[in-house]
């Protein structure tokens, strides 16, 4: 399973992710159900941090944010 697939799964899967876009070193995502996010799994997959505000989630991934966002979008 690729890093993008693991991050998508930890965000609750493709059905839970409403929108995702890169921002410098972060993935900004809107999710349908924030309770489905598995922060431990995100950190186990190299994520530096997770910031939440309701259904908005910022996943700090470093400079590969653009690449990961593109891969995640192609999986959705």
């Amino acid at each position: 399973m690729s890093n993008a697939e693991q991050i998508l799964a930890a965000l609750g899967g493709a059905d839970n992710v409403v929108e995702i876009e890169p921002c410098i070193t972060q993935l900004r995502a809107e999710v349908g159900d924030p309770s489905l996010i598995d922060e431990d799994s995100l950190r186990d997959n190299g994520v530096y941090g997770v910031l939440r505000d309701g259904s908005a989630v910022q996943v700090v991934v470093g400079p590969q944010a653009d690449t990961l966002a593109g891969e995640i979008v192609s999986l959705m």
Side-chain angles (χ1 to χ4, degrees), residues 8-38:
L8 181 59
L11 288 172
D15 291 339
N16 194 44
V17 177
V18 175
E19 182 179 3
I20 193 157
E21 62 182 41
C23 178
I24 311 283
T25 61
Q26 301 175 20
L27 298 172
R28 291 186 178 181
E30 181 182 342
V31 296
D33 183 354
S35 71
L36 296 178
I37 297 170
D38 184 348

Side-chain angles (χ1 to χ4, degrees), residues 60-74:
V60 183
V61 295
Q64 69 271 20
D66 282 331
T67 302
L68 282 170
E71 292 173 5
I72 290 170
V73 167
S74 71

